[in-house]
Amino acid sequence: MRKTLLMALLVSPGILLAQKGNFVLKGKIGSLNDPAKLQLMYRIDGKEIRDSATLKDGAFEFKGTIDGPTQAMMVLKHPTPSLNPRMRDAVIFYVEKGTITFNSPDSLMKATIKGSPVNDDDKRLKDALKPVDNMYMALNAEYMAASEEDRNSPEFREKIDEKVNTIREEGKKLYLAFIKDNPKSIISLDALQQYSGGMPDRIGELDTLFSGLAANVKNSKKGQEFGKLLNSWKQTAIGAEAPLFTQNDTLGNPVSLKDFRGKYVLVDFWASWCGPCRAENPHVVSAFNKHKDNKFTILSVSLDQPNGKEAWLKAIHKDGLTWTHVSDLKFWDNEVAKMYGIRGVPMNFLLDPDGKIVAKNLRGEELDKRLTEILPH
């Protein structure tokens, strides 16, 4: 799903390095006492770890063991809840081997973090990105101030999209500068992931940037995962032969991509829970109905969740998606999605009759336009 304005700068969770170590998190937040409580959340090997601590005269302490610098979230529940239920006092930071201290007069959001080189690097990147943050905030304010009529107008949406793209490009420049200046920092891997975007075209550039990182960064668990993702992007570049796969349809019968040879086929990644996917479906339906009798078809791969089969089937019926659908109902762990390097939906790949990728990420009228160009007349 396309990132919203306010989420555009969030980084992926779970950065891990190879060496194990014990950590201590301690500090003082004003003079808070019970019932004020801190919650700590992080992940190790895909498993979420949760811990909590009460405060005594503002003091607190956490202890644990990690496999290297790990991104975490700490949330402070104040004795008096905020009047705005959407506002929470939280900080995203890195846990690493050693002792890390937090100090603040009254809240986590104002806390200074010391004793952590990784968090020092992370702060430098966040400070560098502040101008982009401010631009996103200003654009969000512009959107919220607009009338509902303006928000629904194609001209307004196009203007907002153009501004988002401009801000995104400014952010990419800052990410790129950080990566080049800090090849030994694990934070550069975060920056590289943000710089790469959802489905990049300039694979060679990303390969060069990744190769330029220090060995400890590339060999970290997250570094190895990014290397696999980068390899998936190489295998799904335009001109490459699409990776073959077999997955079950809505009735549990196996469907193979190879069986679609001889036709142009759109491999379409989506999910019933994905708002932009559902908004895109009418365009896909229109293109399918127009070209289905001219050596064109669609094979949709759903990233619905293990308990989401009913929602998947309901969405297929409601949106009128009258073509072949497959899924293993593993959410973001969908085997085909991982094979194709999918980081967001909707996403699609247009294959020629020989199975080669001739286009990807065709949205709106672009799909019909491209099919009209390449299909036999």
Side-chain angles (χ1 to χ4, degrees):
M1 186 179 293
R2 183 179 294 179
K3 294 176 181 174
T4 63
L5 297 179
L6 296 180
M7 293 178 64
L9 296 175
L10 289 179
V11 293
S12 301
I15 299 292
L16 301 175
L17 289 179
Q19 59 255 92
K20 289 187 176 182
N22 297 324
F23 70 84
V24 176
L25 306 178
K26 64 180 183 178
K28 195 172 189 302
I29 303 176
S31 56
L32 293 174
N33 285 290
D34 187 60
K37 181 176 289 188
L38 281 169
Q39 292 183 329
L40 176 67
M41 293 156 281
Y42 56 98
R43 302 183 75 87
I44 295 180
D45 293 331
K47 181 181 179 181
E48 185 176 64
I49 308 297
R50 287 177 173 263
D51 199 356
S52 63
T54 55
L55 293 94
K56 184 175 182 180
D57 294 328
F60 69 91
E61 182 173 286
F62 290 98
K63 293 182 179 181
T65 301
I66 49 169
D67 289 335
T70 305
Q71 196 175 62
M73 174 182 283
M74 193 184 296
V75 179
L76 173 59
K77 292 191 174 182
H78 289 261
T80 303
S82 169
L83 294 177
N84 185 347
R86 295 185 178 181
M87 293 293 293
R88 62 177 176 176
D89 189 9
V91 60
I92 296 175
F93 67 104
Y94 283 86
V95 179
E96 65 175 316
K97 181 180 178 180
T99 300
I100 303 174
T101 61
F102 293 73
N103 281 290
S104 172
D106 53 20
S107 66
L108 272 180
M109 290 189 291
K110 296 180 182 178
T112 57
I113 304 175
K114 294 185 178 180
S116 169
V118 173
N119 282 299
D120 291 343
D121 287 348
D122 189 44
K123 184 177 185 302
R124 287 195 298 109
L125 177 58
K126 289 176 179 176
D127 287 345
L129 290 167
K130 281 183 179 178
V132 172
D133 282 337
N134 292 336
M135 286 189 282
Y136 273 118
M137 290 176 65
L139 184 57
N140 188 66
E142 178 183 345
Y143 179 83
M144 296 303 295
S147 66
E148 185 174 353
E149 181 180 359
D150 284 341
R151 292 182 194 176
N152 292 329
S153 72
E155 295 80 12
F156 182 80
R157 292 200 300 267
E158 183 177 350
K159 182 178 72 171
I160 292 294
D161 285 344
E162 287 177 356
K163 290 185 177 182
V164 168
N165 289 334
T166 298
I167 298 172
R168 186 179 292 122
E169 289 303 312
E170 289 300 312
K172 291 182 69 173
K173 292 177 184 177
L174 296 174
Y175 285 123
L176 181 60
F178 188 91
I179 295 165
K180 290 183 176 180
D181 292 342
N182 300 274
K184 296 181 180 180
S185 174
I186 192 69
I187 301 301
S188 287
L189 190 56
D190 283 339
L192 181 56
Q193 292 189 43
Q194 295 299 313
Y195 180 75
S196 65
M199 182 57 66
D201 294 320
R202 296 180 294 183
I203 307 300
E205 179 191 19
L206 296 179
D207 198 14
T208 299
L209 290 171
F210 182 65
S211 298
L213 298 178
N216 69 300
V217 177
K218 290 186 292 185
N219 292 332
S220 69
K221 183 173 182 180
K222 194 64 177 182
Q224 293 176 19
E225 290 174 355
F226 185 82
K228 292 179 181 178
L229 181 63
L230 186 59
N231 188 56
S232 296
W233 287 339
K234 291 177 183 178
Q235 294 179 1
T236 54
I238 292 177
E241 184 174 320
L244 295 175
F245 62 85
T246 299
Q247 204 156 86
N248 288 348
D249 64 14
T250 58
L251 298 177
N253 300 315
V255 175
S256 173
L257 176 61
K258 189 174 183 180
D259 293 338
F260 288 77
R261 292 284 172 83
K263 287 187 176 183
Y264 284 89
V265 56
L266 187 75
V267 180
D268 182 44
F269 292 88
W270 75 299
S272 67
W273 47 260
C274 167
C277 301
R278 305 295 295 274
E280 185 68 22
N281 278 343
H283 298 289
V284 183
V285 169
S286 177
F288 176 73
N289 290 335
K290 182 177 178 180
H291 300 284
K292 63 182 179 180
D293 296 326
N294 194 15
K295 292 188 176 181
F296 171 71
T297 192
I298 300 175
L299 175 58
S300 283
V301 182
S302 168
L303 275 66
D304 273 280
Q305 302 185 51
N307 61 351
K309 185 172 183 178
E310 183 177 349
W312 175 39
L313 298 178
K314 184 177 179 180
I316 292 172
H317 177 73
K318 184 175 181 180
D319 293 1
L321 313 182
T322 57
W323 51 79
T324 305
H325 294 264
V326 299
S327 182
D328 56 13
L329 298 175
K330 291 183 179 180
F331 200 29
W332 288 108
D333 283 330
N334 181 285
E335 296 299 330
V336 182
K338 291 193 292 185
M339 183 187 299
Y340 276 66
I342 301 299
R343 299 180 72 190
V345 288
M347 184 64 200
N348 58 50
F349 299 81
L350 181 60
L351 281 52
D352 71 10
D354 295 321
K356 289 186 177 180
I357 299 171
V358 295
K360 58 184 180 181
N361 202 23
L362 297 169
R363 302 285 186 86
E365 297 178 358
E366 292 178 0
L367 176 58
D368 174 56
K369 182 179 178 181
R370 190 59 187 273
L371 289 172
T372 302
E373 291 174 352
I374 64 176
L375 289 176
H377 297 287

